[in-house]
Amino acid sequence: MWIMLFFLFLEITYALFIPSCNRRDFDRIRPLKDGAQAHTNLIREISTNIIYVEKLFNNKQEMEREARALQMIRPHPNLIDVRCMDQSSIVFERGEGNLLDLVSQVNIEDMTYQLIEGIRALHAINLVHGDIKPNNIVKLGQTIKLIDFGFTGRPGEMRCGFGTKGFMAPELNIPGCRQRQLGPAIDWFAAGVTVYVM
């Protein structure tokens, strides 16, 4: 009982450490990418001159889902760090490109090990990423980091529409909106396809 309360306290305390963003603290450098659920910008924190990525969401539900997941994630070398968030955006540390752009710069064996460690860190706190693919993996120095937690959920959660064609497990790749269950196996399948593609 006390142990459960202690871990609940840690989870709540960590969530409080994600500061709120003040847009006046940042300058927009340029747009990066437009996606179905959000678009990203390269921004600079004025006081530190550090470059970050700002993710602006098109819809409140998508923002809330990703924010919930990020508040549960503990700092880990293979998961992207959050600088701050507000009601419509999240500011992340900046990684280089996506893995397909960087394939000549990475050691595939080391990348695979780091990808596995990132997935294990999520599964250890009872979360499933739901969309492992090269575009959701960036490089920061020699470190590989998982990004984009918009499809993240708890194992057993029923959902329609998650993952990316080509990286989805065959049982998920069915036309139309059919409820499917999130589970760790979908991350491992997508990770295997990602490593194969690399």
Side-chain angles (χ1 to χ4, degrees):
M1 172 73 174
W2 288 108
I3 293 172
M4 286 174 40
L5 288 173
F6 175 72
F7 282 111
L8 180 62
F9 170 76
L10 285 179
E11 190 168 308
I12 292 167
T13 304
Y14 179 73
L16 297 174
F17 284 115
I18 299 178
S20 184
C21 291
N22 183 344
R23 290 190 185 260
R24 289 175 298 189
D25 294 340
F26 299 93
D27 279 336
R28 184 170 174 239
I29 298 172
R30 65 180 165 84
L32 281 178
K33 182 179 147 188
D34 282 330
Q37 283 109 18
H39 58 276
T40 55
N41 296 313
L42 206 57
I43 61 173
R44 180 182 65 87
E45 188 172 34
I46 297 165
S47 63
T48 63
N49 222 23
I50 296 173
I51 307 295
Y52 291 97
V53 173
E54 173 189 46
K55 186 173 185 179
L56 292 159
F57 291 83
N58 300 331
N59 132 359
K60 190 176 178 182
Q61 261 185 320
E62 299 297 332
M63 165 71 189
E64 288 172 353
R65 181 185 300 153
E66 189 150 349
R68 265 194 312 272
L70 289 167
Q71 288 172 339
M72 294 163 65
I73 294 171
R74 304 293 167 265
H76 188 276
N78 303 117
L79 302 174
I80 202 76
D81 287 333
V82 178
R83 168 66 182 86
C84 61
M85 68 173 74
D86 62 26
Q87 293 190 352
S88 62
S89 69
I90 302 173
V91 175
F92 299 95
E93 66 183 331
R94 178 186 179 211
E96 300 171 43
N98 70 61
L99 225 44
L100 286 178
D101 298 335
L102 303 167
V103 72
S104 63
Q105 300 173 31
V106 298
N107 173 311
I108 301 298
E109 188 176 302
D110 186 47
M111 181 224 66
T112 303
Y113 174 78
Q114 291 186 55
L115 175 59
I116 289 168
E117 288 302 303
I119 293 170
R120 280 185 180 160
L122 286 176
H123 292 179
I125 58 169
N126 213 21
L127 285 178
V128 176
H129 186 278
D131 195 21
I132 305 287
K133 60 183 178 181
N135 282 352
N136 286 341
I137 303 166
V138 296
K139 185 172 171 269
L140 207 68
Q142 294 305 307
T143 305
I144 298 300
K145 293 190 175 246
L146 273 174
I147 64 169
D148 195 352
F149 298 93
F151 286 112
T152 302
R154 295 279 193 190
E157 187 179 315
M158 298 299 285
R159 193 173 311 151
C160 173
F162 51 87
T164 299
K165 283 191 184 301
F167 295 90
M168 289 164 51
E171 66 273 16
L172 303 177
N173 202 358
I174 298 169
C177 184
R178 296 207 178 117
Q179 291 282 320
R180 293 287 179 249
Q181 193 173 51
L182 274 174
I186 69 171
D187 282 350
W188 294 123
F189 183 91
V193 176
T194 298
V195 173
Y196 176 77
V197 167
M198 299 308 292

